[in-house]
C-alpha cells in the first residue's frame, strides 16, 4: 500500500476559510478523527481535518525524525520523541513535581493542584496519541456495559456488547489487530461463530512463559470466590502474521509505513521493545495509516498548525455555525492568523481533555453540566521484582501477555477490577531501567567494560514488572475545567485538571499489591517494589502508601447516555444541545472497565460516522 | 548453442541460477546501505533498504518457482555466493559488481544491474571470454563461455521454458507443477512493502511471479511503475542520482516529486572487495575475528533459508532477528579503520562456504 505525500488537495488558509462546501469539519487527527474522516470521504463527502501540530510526520522523513529524537533523548518518557511546540503544548511527565494539598502548579500545560498529581498524557501531533500508544486492543467485557445494574458501581451504557460487536470487528480490521480468538474468549467476551482476527496473535515472550510456568493453574480467593490465574496473550494493534482465514478466506494485507514516496518499510513487528513512545518501523498502527487512505480520495483537506479556539453557536437554532481557528506560521513564534471555518457538521475529536476544554473555552457547558466532568483514566500500580533466573527481559514488544482473570466478577461490588501487564521492558516504567542500572553500576559499583556489560545482563534480564491497570469509575468531581488566568502562547485557555483516585479504585490497588506479592512468592522472585512518599502520585490508603501512575486512557468528559440531563452526548456521540455537533472519542465512554480505551472508542466512531452520513443525507 | 530451455532439469538449473542472481545483488546493496553513516542520508538509506528487501523477495519467489516444479532450493551449494567482484551481463558488454561503499560510482553500477534492456535480435546468448578465475553470473548452465545478453533475457528464457515444458506435459496429460504446495512460501511467513508473496502452483501463477521479478527490477513492463504501483529499482536508483523523487504519472528521467539531497561525504570509506586474507591477523586479531564471525553467521543464515525453502517456511520468522544480528556485525566492521590501507575501513567480506573461511580454518589447523 503506497501513499504519495500530500495526496490531499493542497490546502491554504485562504481557501479553507472561504470554502462553503465542507460537509464536515473535524478537529483532531487521532484515531477518532481519522476514522470519521475516512468513513465520510469514502461515502463521497468533503471533509476538512484540522491538526494543531506541524503535521510533518505525515512523511516518512518526518516520522523518522521523531524516532531520532527519541533515540537522542536523555529522558525516555512517552512524549520524548515529540518536540516541544510552544503553540501546541502537551502534558509531559518530567515537568511534574510533588504538590502539597491545595498547592497549584501552573507551570505545566495541564494545571493541577495537590495532593495527587496525575502524570497522564496525550499527544498533540498528527496521529494524536496513537503516535505513542502501546497498542493493546482488548474489548470491554459484556458486564462492563452494565456495571451499575450488576454491581451498583459507575454508570450503565446506553448500549451493550451486542450493539457494538460488529463495530469492534471493523475497528479490529482498521487497526490491524493481531490476536487469536481462542486466547481472547475469556470471562464473558464472545465472538461470532468463525470469526478470526486479521492477524494471528503475537507469541508470548520468554518472560511471559517463565511467569506462566510459576502461576498458571493456581488460584486466588476474593470475597469468598475462587479465581484461577493464567498468563494470556493480549490482542495488539501491530503487524504480525496475516491470518489466511480472515474475511471468509480472503486474508488480510498488513499496512506498513505510509507516505513514503514509494519507499515502503515496516512490515512485521520486529520486537524493538519501544512501542511506547514510538515504533521505529511503523509496524504498530497509528492513525496516519487511516488518514493516508482518506487523503488519497482527494475529498479530504488537511490543515496543519491550526488550533481550534472556539465553537461558534447560532443562538437562534442552537446549531454550531462555525469554528474559530488560530493558524500559526511557525512553532518558534506565537504569531497567528484567525480564521473561521464552516461546515454542515462539526466533529470535535481532540481527546478527552482537549475536546471538553474547547467546549468550555467556548462557553458551552451543555444542559447536563457534565462537559469536562467524570474524567476517567486507568490508575496504574506498578510492582517489580527480580526473577530467580534469567528470563530474557527486553525481548518482544513492550508487553505481550498478562493476567486478565480479575477483569470481571462479583468482587466488583466491593472493589475495582484490574488487568495485569507483564512488561517485557523490565523496570523501566518504575525506576528508569536500563539507564538507571548503568548509572548505579558505574557510580556505586565502579564497574566498567566487559564487567559492566555482564552486570547489566545479570540485572536486566531478570527484571519483572507487573503493571496493574485498575479501573476508575466516573466521579463528577474528577474533572477538566478552564480558567482565564491560565492561557497558552496563543491565548487559549489551558486545561485545569482536578483528579483524585476514588476509594473504590484504591481498594483495588491495595488488593493488587497483595496479589503481586502472592505472584512473586509463587515465582520465587525477590520483590524490589518501593513507593516513595516524595512521589507526585503518592496516595495514602488505610495506612499504606502507593504510587499511582496515570494510564493515558482518558475518558468520560462528555459522557454518553440516553437522557440529555444526565449525559452530554447521545448514543451516536452527538451533542444533546447542538444537533450538528459531535463530541467523539474516549470522552463519550460512561465507564472504562479494564480495557485500554482505544479499540472501544474507535468502534464508537463507526457508529457515529453512520449517524453523520444519515444526517447529511437529510 | 541453443538459448531455449527444453528439459525440466535445465529449467531447474536456470531457477537455481535465478536464486543465485537475485541473491548476488544483496551483499553489494547491504554494503552500500550500511556504509552510510548512521543518522545521515535518510532518503538514500530508505531507497537502498527497500531495494535490498525486494531482492530478498525476488530470491524467495525464485525459490517458489523452483519448488513448484519439484526442485530443491539450495543456498548452501558451493559457489552460491559469488566471489566479488562478479561479472553481470549488460548487453554487448558486461560489468563488474563489487562490495563497495555508497559512492556515485557504486550507484552507477547499481543502475547498470537494474537497467531495463533486452537483446535486440532473437538471440539471447552472447559468447564472452573470461579468465578462469573470475566469477560470472548469468552464464548458460553448463556453458561457462555463454552468457545471457541481459538479466531480462535470462528471465524471458525462463518464462519461455515454463511455457514450452508445461505445454508438452499437458499433451501427455501431465503437468510440470508437481511440487508440494506446503513448500511454497506465502505472505504469512514473509511480507514487506515490496509486493505480495503468493504460491506458485500453475502456469498462471508462475508467469505472474516471473513478471513481478522483472518489473520490480527493471521496469521491463514498459512503465517506470509496476502493476502494484511500485517504482522499479532502476528508477529508485535514478532518484538518488537526480536527488528527486518520482511520483505516479512521471516519465523516465523526469521525476517531479519532492527533492532531497544526498551527502556523499557522510559515508565510511570501506575497502572495496575486502577479503579476509587482506586483514593482518597478528596486527588486527579482533578485526579478523569479527570478519570471520560475520561470514560464519551469514553462512548459517543461508543454511536457515535453505531449510525454510525446503518445507519449513516458519523458519523465516526467525530470519528477522538473525538479520539484525548480522547488521550489527557489519556495523562493528565498518566503524573500524583497516590498518595500513591508506584510510579505508573494514567491511564484511561475504566469503562463504566453499571459500576463504573454510580454507582459512584449514590453514590454521595445518599451522597449529
Amino acid at each position: 500500500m503506497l501513499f504519495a505525500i500530500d495526496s490531499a488537495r493542497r490546502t491554504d488558509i485562504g481557501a479553507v476559510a472561504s470554502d462553503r462546501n465542507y460537509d464536515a469539519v473535524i478537529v483532531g487527527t487521532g484515531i477518532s478523527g481519522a476514522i470519521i474522516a475516512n468513513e465520510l470521504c469514502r461515502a463521497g463527502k468533503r471533509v476538512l481535518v484540522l491538526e494543531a501540530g506541524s503535521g510533518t510526520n505525515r512523511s516518512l522523513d518526518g516520522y523518522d525524525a521523531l524516532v531520532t529524537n527519541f533515540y537522542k533523548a536523555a529522558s525516555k518518557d512517552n512524549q520524548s520523541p515529540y518536540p516541544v511546540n510552544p503553540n501546541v503544548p502537551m502534558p509531559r511527565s518530567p515537568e511534574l513535581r510533588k504538590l502539597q494539598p491545595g498547592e497549584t502548579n501552573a507551570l505545566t500545560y495541564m494545571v493541577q493542584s495537590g495532593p495527587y498529581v496525575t502524570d497522564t498524557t496525550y499527544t498533540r501531533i498528527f496521529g494524536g496519541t496513537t503516535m505513542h500508544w502501546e497498542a493493546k486492543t482488548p474489548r470491554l467485557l459484556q458486564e462492563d456495559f452494565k456495571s451499575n445494574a450488576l454491581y451498583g458501581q459507575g454508570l450503565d451504557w446506553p448500549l451493550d456488547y451486542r450493539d457494538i460487536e460488529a463495530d469492534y470487528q471493523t475497528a479490529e480490521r482498521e487497526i490491524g489487530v493481531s490476536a487469536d480468538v481462542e486466547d481472547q474468549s475469556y470471562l464473558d467476551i464472545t465472538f461470532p461463530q468463525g470469526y478470526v482476527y486479521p492477524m494471528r496473535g503475537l507469541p508470548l515472550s520468554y518472560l511471559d512463559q517463565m511467569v506462566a510456568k510459576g502461576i498458571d493453574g493456581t488460584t486466588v480467593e476474593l470475597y469468598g470466590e475462587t479465581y484461577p490465574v493464567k498468563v494470556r496473550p493480549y490482542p495488539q494493534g501491530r503487524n504480525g502474521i496475516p491470518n489466511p482465514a480472515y474475511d471468509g478466506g480472503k486474508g488480510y494485507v498488513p499496512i506498513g509505513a505510509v507516505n513514503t514516496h514509494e519507499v515502503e518499510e515496516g512490515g512485521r513487528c520486529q520486537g524493538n521493545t519501544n512501542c511506547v513512545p514510538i515504533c521505529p518501523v511503523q509496524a504498530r498502527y497509528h492513525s496516519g495509516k487511516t488518514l493516508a487512505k482518506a487523503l488519497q480520495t482527494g475529498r479530504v483537506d488537511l490543515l496543519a498548525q491550526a488550533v481550534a479556539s472556539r465553537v461558534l453557536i447560532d443562538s437562534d437554532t442552537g446549531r454550531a455555525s462555525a469554528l474559530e481557528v488560530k493558524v500559526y506560521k511557525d512553532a518558534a513564534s506565537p504569531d497567528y492568523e484567525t480564521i473561521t471555518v464552516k461546515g454542515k457538521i462539526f466533529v470535535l475529536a481532540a481527546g478527552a481533555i482537549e475536546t471538553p476544554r474547547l467546549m468550555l473555552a467556548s462557553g458551552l457547558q451543555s444542559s447536563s453540566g457534565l462537559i469536562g466532568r467524570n474524567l476517567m483514566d486507568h490508575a496504574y500500580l506498578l510492582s517489580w521484582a527480580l526473577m530467580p533466573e534469567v528470563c530474557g527481559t527486553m525481548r518482544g514488544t513492550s508487553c505481550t501477555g498478562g493476567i486478565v482473570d480479575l477483569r470481571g466478577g462479583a468482587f466488583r461490588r466491593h472493589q475495582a477490577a484490574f488487568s495485569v501487564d507483564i512488561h517485557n521492558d523490565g523496570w523501566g516504567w518504575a525506576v528508569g531501567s536500563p539507564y538507571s542500572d548503568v548509572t548505579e553500576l558505574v557510580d556505586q559499583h565502579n564497574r566498567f567494560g566487559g564487567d559492566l556489560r555482564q552486570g547489566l545482563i545479570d540485572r536486566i534480564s531478570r527484571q519483572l514488572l507487573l503493571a496493574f491497570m485498575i479501573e476508575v469509575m466516573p466521579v463528577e468531581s474528577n474533572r477538566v475545567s478552564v480558567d482565564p488566568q491560565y492561557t497558552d502562547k496563543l491565548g487559549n485557555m489551558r486545561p485545569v485538571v482536578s483528579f483524585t483516585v476514588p476509594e473504590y479504585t484504591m481498594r483495588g490497588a491495595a488488593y493488587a499489591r497483595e496479589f503481586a506479592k502472592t505472584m512473586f512468592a509463587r515465582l520465587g522472585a525477590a520483590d524490589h517494589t518501593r513507593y516513595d512518599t516524595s512521589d507526585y502520585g503518592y496516595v495514602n490508603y488505610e495506612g499504606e502508601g502507593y504510587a499511582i501512575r496515570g494510564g493515558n486512557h482518558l475518558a468520560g468528559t462528555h459522557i454518553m447516555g440516553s437522557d440529555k440531563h444526565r449525559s452530554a452526548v447521545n448514543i451516536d456521540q452527538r451533542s444533546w444541545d447542538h444537533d450538528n455537533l459531535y463530541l467523539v472519542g474516549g470522552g463519550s465512554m460512561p465507564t472504562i472497565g479494564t480495557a485500554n480505551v482505544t479499540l472501544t472508542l474507535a468502534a464508537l466512531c463507526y457508529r457515529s460516522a453512520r449517524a453523520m452520513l444519515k444526517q447529511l443525507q437529510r | 548453442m541453443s538459448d531455449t530451455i527444453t528439459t525440466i532439469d535445465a529449467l531447474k538449473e536456470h531457477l537455481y541460477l535465478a536464486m543465485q542472481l537475485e541473491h548476488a545483488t544483496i551483499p553489494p546493496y547491504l554494503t552500500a546501505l550500511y556504509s552510510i553513516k548512521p543518522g545521515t542520508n535518510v532518503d538514500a538509506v530508505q531507497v537502498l533498504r527497500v531495494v535490498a528487501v525486494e531482492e530478498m523477495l525476488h530470491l524467495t519467489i525464485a525459490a517458489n518457482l523452483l519448488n513448484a516444479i519439484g526442485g530443491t532450493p539450495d543456498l548452501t551449494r558451493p559457489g552460491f555466493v559469488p566471489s566479488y567482484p562478479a561479472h553481470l551481463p549488460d548487453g554487448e558488454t558486461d560489468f563488474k559488481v563489487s562490495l563497495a561503499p555508497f559512492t556515485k560510482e557504486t550507484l552507477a553500477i547499481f543502475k547498470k544491474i537494474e537497467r531495463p534492456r533486452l537483446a535486440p535480435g532473437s538471440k539471447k546468448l552472447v559468447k564472452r571470454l573470461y579468465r578462469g578465475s573470475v566469477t560470472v553470473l548469468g552464464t548458460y548452465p553448463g556453458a561457462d563461455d555463454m552468457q545471457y545478453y541481459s538479466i531480462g533475457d535470462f528471465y524471458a528464457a525462463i518464462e519461455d521454458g515454463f511455457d514450452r515444458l508445461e505445454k508438452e506435459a499437458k499433451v501427455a496429460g501431465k503437468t510440470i507443477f508437481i511440487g508440494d504446495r506446503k513448500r511454497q512460501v506465502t505472505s504469512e511467513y514473509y511480507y514487506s512493502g515490496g509486493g505480495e508473496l503468493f504460491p506458485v502452483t500453475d502456469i498462471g501463477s508462475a508467469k505472474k511471479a516471473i513478471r513481478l521479478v522483472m518489473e520490480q527490477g527493471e521496469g521491463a513492463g514498459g512503465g517506470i511503475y509496476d502493476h502494484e504501483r511500485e517504482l522499479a529499482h532502476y528508477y529508485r536508483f535514478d532518484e538518488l542520482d537526480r536527488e528527486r523523487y518520482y511520483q505516479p504519472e512521471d516519465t523516465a528521467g523526469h521525476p517531479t516529486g519532492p527533492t532531497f539531497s544526498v551527502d556523499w561525504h557522510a559515508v565510511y570509506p570501506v575497502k572495496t572487495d575486502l577479503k579476509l586474507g587482506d586483514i593482518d591477523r597478528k596486527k588486527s586479531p579482533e578485526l579478523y575475528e569479527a570478519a570471520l564471525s560475520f561470514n560464519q553467521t551469514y553462512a548459517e543464515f543461508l543454511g536457515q533459508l535453505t531449510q525454510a525453502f525446503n518445507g519449513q517456511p516458519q523458519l523465516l520468522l526467525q530470519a528477522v532477528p538473525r538479520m539484525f544480528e548480522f547488521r550489527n556485525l557489519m556495523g562493528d566492521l565498518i566503524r573500524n579503520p583497516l590498518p595500513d590501507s591508506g584510510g579505508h575501513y573494514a567491511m564484511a567480506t561475504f566469503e562463504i562456504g566453499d571459500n576463504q573461511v573454510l580454507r582459512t580454518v584449514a590453514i590454521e589447523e595445518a599451522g597449529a
Side-chain angles (χ1 to χ4, degrees), chain B residues 41-362:
Chain B
N41 280 316
V42 282
D43 300 273
V45 164
Q46 292 295 354
V47 168
L48 289 168
R49 184 188 174 284
V50 78
V51 174
V53 166
E54 285 184 357
E55 297 299 349
M56 295 168 194
L57 178 79
H58 297 173
L59 169 64
T60 312
I61 289 172
N64 275 354
L65 284 163
L66 183 51
N67 268 320
I69 56 169
T72 309
D74 184 4
L75 292 74
T76 62
R77 204 199 278 189
F80 178 80
V81 181
S83 168
Y84 295 93
H87 291 255
L88 276 170
D90 181 39
E92 295 302 338
T93 55
D94 70 354
F95 63 96
K96 283 191 288 194
V97 178
S98 285
L99 301 176
F102 180 62
T103 60
K104 271 201 173 302
E105 296 70 34
T106 301
L107 183 61
I109 293 287
F110 287 0
K111 282 175 80 169
K112 276 191 171 173
I113 295 178
E114 307 284 0
R115 177 165 25 193
R117 56 185 313 163
L118 288 171
S122 59
K123 285 188 98 61
K124 297 193 186 77
L125 289 173
V126 273
K127 192 170 182 71
R128 301 191 209 274
L129 296 174
Y130 293 101
R131 284 176 293 115
S133 60
V134 303
T135 314
V136 186
L137 293 168
T139 53
Y140 192 85
D144 283 350
D145 58 344
M146 297 305 282
Q147 195 184 28
Y148 278 96
Y149 186 89
S150 74
I151 296 173
D153 288 311
F154 172 72
Y155 277 110
I158 289 177
E159 185 170 7
D160 182 59
F162 265 103
D163 252 341
R164 175 176 308 104
L165 292 166
E166 179 64 359
K167 274 203 187 81
E168 284 172 14
K170 276 251 164 43
V171 170
K174 295 186 187 144
T175 175
I176 60 168
F177 295 96
I178 55 163
D180 181 354
R181 172 81 167 66
K182 284 203 277 296
R183 293 166 70 91
Q184 292 292 316
V185 179
T186 54
S187 58
E188 241 172 297
Y189 303 106
Y190 182 111
Y191 63 79
S192 70
E196 219 182 327
L197 264 177
F198 45 85
V200 176
T201 52
D202 54 19
I203 193 71
S205 46
K207 291 182 119 163
K208 191 172 150 190
I210 295 165
R211 257 198 306 275
L212 192 143
V213 173
M214 284 173 80
E215 284 188 3
Q216 274 192 346
E218 314 187 322
I224 62 173
Y225 283 84
D226 70 8
H227 281 91
E228 305 202 4
R229 296 189 54 244
E230 286 271 336
L231 188 62
H233 295 178
Y234 177 84
Y235 298 101
R236 290 188 193 280
F237 289 142
D238 195 44
E239 287 178 331
L240 296 185
D241 238 354
R242 299 177 192 276
E243 303 194 347
R244 185 158 195 182
Y245 284 109
Y246 279 101
Q247 38 192 9
E249 323 306 328
D250 283 353
T251 53
H254 303 284
T256 63
T259 56
F260 59 90
S261 59
V262 175
D263 179 357
W264 297 102
H265 298 290
V267 175
Y268 291 98
V270 300
K271 177 102 176 107
T272 298
D273 296 325
L274 178 69
K275 303 286 176 212
L276 213 48
D278 302 339
I279 304 173
D280 186 331
R281 286 192 64 179
K282 295 217 165 37
K283 266 194 193 164
S284 319
E286 285 171 324
L287 206 55
Y288 186 88
E289 227 18 76
L292 192 62
S293 158
F294 174 87
N295 289 347
Q296 280 157 348
T297 305
Y298 199 78
E300 281 163 23
F301 175 72
L302 292 177
Q304 199 178 23
L305 286 184
T306 301
Q307 288 177 299
F309 295 154
N310 280 274
Q312 299 182 68
Q314 68 283 0
L315 288 175
L316 287 174
L317 301 178
Q318 296 161 26
V320 171
R322 293 303 290 272
M323 287 163 72
F324 276 123
E325 199 182 323
F326 68 69
R327 180 196 67 181
N328 295 342
L329 288 166
M330 273 175 109
D332 289 348
L333 288 162
I334 333 175
R335 287 191 248 303
N336 275 287
L338 191 64
D340 310 323
S341 68
H344 288 291
Y345 280 60
M347 194 18 133
T349 70
F350 286 94
E351 293 160 286
I352 310 295
D354 172 31
N355 72 11
Q356 206 67 32
V357 176
L358 299 179
R359 274 210 299 276
T360 318
V361 174

Side-chain angles (χ1 to χ4, degrees), chain A residues 255-275:
Chain A
I255 298 176
V258 299
N259 278 336
T260 54
H261 315 289
E262 313 296 310
V263 177
E264 280 230 39
E265 67 147 30
R268 205 181 295 263
C269 167
Q270 305 170 337
N272 283 287
T273 329
N274 53 273
C275 321

Side-chain angles (χ1 to χ4, degrees), chain A residues 558-573:
Chain A
H558 42 82
I559 224 151
M560 158 191 294
S562 42
D563 172 350
K564 76 175 292 188
H565 300 290
R566 287 191 298 183
S567 58
V569 298
N570 71 5
I571 196 168
D572 297 323
Q573 304 190 83

